[in-house]
């Protein structure tokens, strides 16, 4: 599963992102501000590092964008998992399927289609898992 990092939010906020020295992903403003950012190149094209340039988003902006991206990832993963379950039951809609079976699957498939409107999924960025979703029970 995908993991989103603060760097993804910086990239999304700034198209000409210059980068920084590799550090552990910052989890607060002081860690973020302690990052050594690429501020230019020297005469042999090696990176020159310094404090956060003024055109690089601050922690509040970056964290807000990061949180938005994680939230969008939650719903995106919900829809992807839901679409797999719908595809697995496409057979139930065939003309040769008995109406009693078709009716059971129609209800199940509608519940799957309604999940995005009726759920508040939570993406755990550390484990790459989705929670806080009540999946309907597949007919037997």
């Amino acid at each position: 599963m995908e993991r989103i990092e603060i760097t993804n939010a910086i990239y999304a906020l700034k198209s000409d992102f210059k980068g920084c020295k590799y550090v552990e992903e910052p989890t607060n403003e002081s860690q973020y501000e302690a990052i050594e950012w690429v501020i230019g190149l020297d005469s042999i094209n090696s990176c020159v590092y310094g404090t956060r340039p003024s055109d690089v988003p601050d922690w509040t902006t970056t964290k807000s964008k990061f949180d938005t991206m994680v939230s969008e990832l939650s719903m995106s993963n919900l829809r992807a998992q839901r679409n797999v379950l719908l595809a697995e039951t496409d057979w139930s809609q065939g003309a040769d399927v008995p109406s009693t079976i078709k009716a059971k699957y129609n209800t199940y498939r509608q519940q799957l289609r309604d999940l995005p409107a009726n759920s508040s999924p939570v993406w755990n960025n550390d484990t790459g898992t989705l929670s806080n979703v009540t999946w309907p029970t597949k007919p037997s």
Side-chain angles (χ1 to χ4, degrees), residues 4-98:
I4 293 181
E5 295 184 353
I6 294 291
T7 306
N8 300 109
I10 298 169
Y11 274 113
L13 289 165
K14 184 170 174 14
S15 60
D16 59 344
F17 176 58
K18 296 177 184 175
C20 59
K21 281 188 178 178
Y22 175 79
V23 293
E24 291 293 319
E25 183 180 13
T27 58
N28 59 51
E29 185 173 9
S30 63
Q31 290 174 358
Y32 183 77
E33 291 301 332
I35 292 172
E36 292 184 80
W37 299 89
V38 176
I39 58 172
L41 301 173
D42 64 16
S43 61
I44 59 169
N45 287 332
S46 292
C47 293
V48 175
Y49 296 96
T51 58
R52 180 179 58 83
S54 61
D55 61 340
V56 172
D58 65 6
W59 172 252
T60 302
T61 303
T62 302
K63 182 69 166 98
S64 175
K65 181 63 177 178
F66 172 80
D67 292 343
T68 298
M69 293 170 76
V70 170
S71 174
E72 290 169 353
L73 187 59
S74 299
M75 194 56 76
S76 174
N77 277 296
L78 169 76
R79 286 189 175 100
Q81 291 180 35
R82 182 260 336 248
N83 290 347
V84 168
L85 295 173
L86 281 169
E88 289 174 354
T89 61
D90 283 348
W91 64 268
S92 69
Q93 303 308 296
D96 59 341
V97 176

Side-chain angles (χ1 to χ4, degrees), residues 102-138:
K102 191 179 279 193
K104 288 181 193 178
Y105 278 91
N106 281 342
T107 301
Y108 172 69
R109 288 169 58 87
Q110 186 60 53
Q111 290 170 337
L112 288 172
R113 287 190 293 274
D114 291 342
L115 272 176
N118 299 330
S119 299
S120 298
V122 175
W123 180 253
N124 183 323
N125 203 43
D126 293 328
T127 62
T129 58
L130 190 65
S131 63
N132 202 38
V133 178
T134 303
W135 297 93
T137 303
K138 186 176 179 178

